[in-house]
C-alpha cells in the first residue's frame, strides 16, 4: 500500500507527469524537453535520469538538459509518486521493472544517466541490455564494492549528520529541508528509506558480482564525481574506470555527493558528453 503519493518538491517548469502500470505497480514518470517530432538528432534518443535513494532534493538541475532534448525522470517503485512494491528486494528487480517500463514507453535507444543508487541501477541495466543504451553517465554511483577507502553505509548515518555527508556546502540544502517538524516530510523519507533498505540492508557496499560484468559495457561511459564526496569517495571512480572499456572520469572540486546540485559544471560536462 502506498503511504503517500506526492513528491517532496515540485518538478521543474515544463515537466509533466504520466502514469504507467508496470506489473501492477503504479509508476509515475515526468517528461520534458524536446518531444519526438520537433526536429533534431535527439528525437530518437531520449535521456532517462534515474534518481538516488532519496528524492527530497528534486531534479531542478535537469532543466538545462531539458532545454535541448527530451528528458524522462521515472520515480522508482517505493519512491516519490510511484506506488510501493514490497516484493522488490534485489537490484535486479529494479532492472526488470525498468526494462518493462522502457518497453511500455516504446523506447528503443536511450542515453542513460544514473545518480548514486540510480547509478547502480543504471550500471546493472547496461550490463543486462547493453544494446539499449547509446551512452551512459554514472554520477557517484553505488553498486561496486570498493575496499579502500570504504563507502559510507547511509543506513547507519544519524539523521543530524546526513547533510554533511550529502553536501560539501550544506547551505545548498537549506531550501530542501523543512524549517520545523514536518510529518509529511518524515513520512516520505521513512517510506523511501524502507524501499532502499530492502535492497541494500544486507549488501550496503553493492553487488560483488558487478565488477566482472562491467566489461559488457562497450559504449562510452562518463563518470562524474564530487571531489569531497563522503558517501562514495572519489577514489571509487578509479575502480570503475579499471573495469570499463571506454570511460572517463570527471571530478568536480568543492562538491560532495550531491555533485549535480553543488557543481553547475557537472551538468555542463554531461550535456557535452551526450551531444
Amino acid at each position: 500500500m502506498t503511504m503517500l503519493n506526492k513528491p517532496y518538491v515540485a518538478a521543474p517548469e515544463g515537466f509533466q507527469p504520466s502514469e504507467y502500470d508496470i506489473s501492477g505497480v503504479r509508476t509515475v514518470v515526468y517528461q520534458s524537453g524536446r518531444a519526438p517530432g520537433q526536429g533534431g538528432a535527439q528525437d530518437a534518443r531520449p535521456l532517462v535520469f534515474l534518481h538516488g535513494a532519496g528524492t527530497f532534493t528534486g531534479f531542478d538541475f535537469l532543466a538545462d538538459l531539458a532545454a535541448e532534448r527530451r528528458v524522462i525522470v521515472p520515480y522508482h517503485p517505493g519512491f516519490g509518486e510511484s506506488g510501493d512494491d514490497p516484493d522488490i528486494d534485489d537490484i535486479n528487480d529494479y532492472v526488470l521493472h525498468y526494462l518493462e517500463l522502457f518497453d511500455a514507453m516504446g523506447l528503443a535507444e536511450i542515453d542513460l544517466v544514473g545518480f548514486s543508487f540510480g547509478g547502480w541501477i543504471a550500471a546493472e541495466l547496461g550490463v543486462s541490455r547493453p544494446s539499449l543504451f547509446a551512452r551512459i553517465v554514472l554520477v557517484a554511483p553505488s553498486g561496486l564494492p570498493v575496499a579502500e577507502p570504504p563507502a559510507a553505509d547511509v543506513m547507519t548515518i544519524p539523521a543530524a549528520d546526513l547533510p554533511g555527508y550529502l553536501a560539501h556546502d550544506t547551505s545548498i540544502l537549506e531550501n530542501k529541508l523543512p524549517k520545523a517538524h514536518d510529518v509529511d516530510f518524515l513520512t516520505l523519507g521513512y517510506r523511501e528509506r524502507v524501499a532502499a533498505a530492502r535492497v541494500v540492508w544486507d549488501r550496503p557496499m553493492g553487488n560483488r558480482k558487478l565488477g566482472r560484468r562491467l566489461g559488457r559495457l562497450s559504449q562510452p561511459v562518463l563518470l562524474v564525481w564530487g571531489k569531497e564526496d563522503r558517501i562514495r569517495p572519489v577514489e571509487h571512480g578509479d575502480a570503475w574506470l579499471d573495469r570499463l572499456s571506454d570511460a572517463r572520469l570527471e571530478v568536480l572540486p568543492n562538491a560532495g555527493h550531491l555533485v549535480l546540485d553543488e557543481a553547475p559544471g557537472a551538468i555542463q560536462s554531461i550535456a557535452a558528453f551526450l551531444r
Side-chain angles (χ1 to χ4, degrees), residues 224-235:
V224 178
W225 236 281
K227 193 175 190 309
E228 311 300 332
D229 195 327
R230 296 179 62 193
I231 292 180
R232 290 280 161 175
V234 68
E235 291 85 355

Side-chain angles (χ1 to χ4, degrees), residues 89-105:
D89 59 9
D90 184 89
I91 199 68
N92 287 312
D93 295 330
Y94 280 114
V95 169
L96 292 173
H97 172 85
Y98 277 115
L99 290 177
E100 288 186 39
L101 174 65
F102 298 156
D103 286 345
M105 297 182 69

Side-chain angles (χ1 to χ4, degrees), residues 60-62 64-65 169 172 224 250 252-256 258-272 275:
D60 285 343
F61 48 78
L62 294 176
D64 288 343
L65 291 174
D169 177 6
I172 70 162
V224 178
E250 184 87 15
L252 283 300
N254 302 315
L258 296 177
V259 60
L260 297 177
D261 295 276
E262 283 198 86
I267 287 294
Q268 295 170 7
S269 294
I270 292 170
R275 291 191 192 106

Side-chain angles (χ1 to χ4, degrees), residues 10-253:
E13 183 178 356
F15 279 78
Q16 299 297 326
S18 53
E19 293 184 16
Y20 295 85
D21 184 315
I22 305 300
S23 296
V25 180
R26 175 176 176 265
T27 302
V28 174
V29 179
Y30 277 82
Q31 299 188 58
S32 188
R34 292 191 177 194
Q38 289 186 339
Q42 304 304 342
D43 282 348
R45 205 169 78 202
L47 184 161
V48 173
F49 177 81
L50 300 181
H51 62 75
T55 64
F56 76 94
T57 55
F59 47 96
D60 285 343
F61 48 78
L62 294 176
D64 288 343
L65 291 174
E68 60 183 69
R69 58 188 305 172
R70 181 186 179 197
V71 176
I72 298 169
V73 186
Y75 279 115
H76 311 325
F79 294 79
E81 296 173 71
S82 287
D84 294 325
D85 186 353
D87 289 333
I88 291 181
D89 59 9
D90 184 89
I91 199 68
N92 287 312
D93 295 330
Y94 280 114
V95 169
L96 292 173
H97 172 85
Y98 277 115
L99 290 177
E100 288 186 39
L101 174 65
F102 298 156
D103 286 345
M105 297 182 69
L107 304 180
E109 187 180 23
I110 300 167
D111 281 344
L112 185 62
V113 181
F115 164 64
S116 194
F117 182 65
W120 182 7
I121 298 173
E124 299 275 7
L125 275 165
V127 165
S128 177
R129 191 79 63 83
S131 62
L132 183 59
F133 307 103
R135 289 180 174 242
I136 297 175
V137 180
L138 304 176
V139 183
S142 61
L144 180 65
V146 179
E148 291 295 335
D153 182 355
V154 296
M155 294 297 167
T156 65
I157 298 173
D161 297 338
L162 191 57
Y165 276 86
L166 290 173
H168 179 57
D169 177 6
T170 57
S171 68
I172 70 162
L173 297 172
E174 289 180 359
N175 294 326
K176 301 180 185 295
L177 296 172
K179 304 300 182 186
H181 185 73
D182 186 320
V183 173
D184 284 353
F185 186 92
L186 294 173
T187 303
L188 285 163
Y190 176 78
R191 175 178 177 251
E192 294 185 348
R193 285 173 70 87
V194 168
R198 290 192 189 105
V199 174
V200 306
W201 189 259
D202 60 350
R203 54 184 83 82
M205 297 303 105
N207 178 4
R208 62 183 178 82
K209 298 178 181 180
L210 178 59
R212 67 173 181 259
R213 296 170 177 169
L214 288 175
R216 286 175 52 79
L217 302 182
S218 59
Q219 64 272 79
V221 177
L222 175 67
L223 298 160
V224 178
W225 236 281
K227 193 175 190 309
E228 311 300 332
D229 195 327
R230 296 179 62 193
I231 292 180
R232 290 280 161 175
V234 68
E235 291 85 355
H236 287 209
D238 293 325
W240 286 86
L241 279 178
D242 289 344
R243 293 163 173 80
L244 292 164
S245 61
D246 184 5
R248 64 182 178 88
L249 173 62
E250 184 87 15
V251 178
L252 283 300

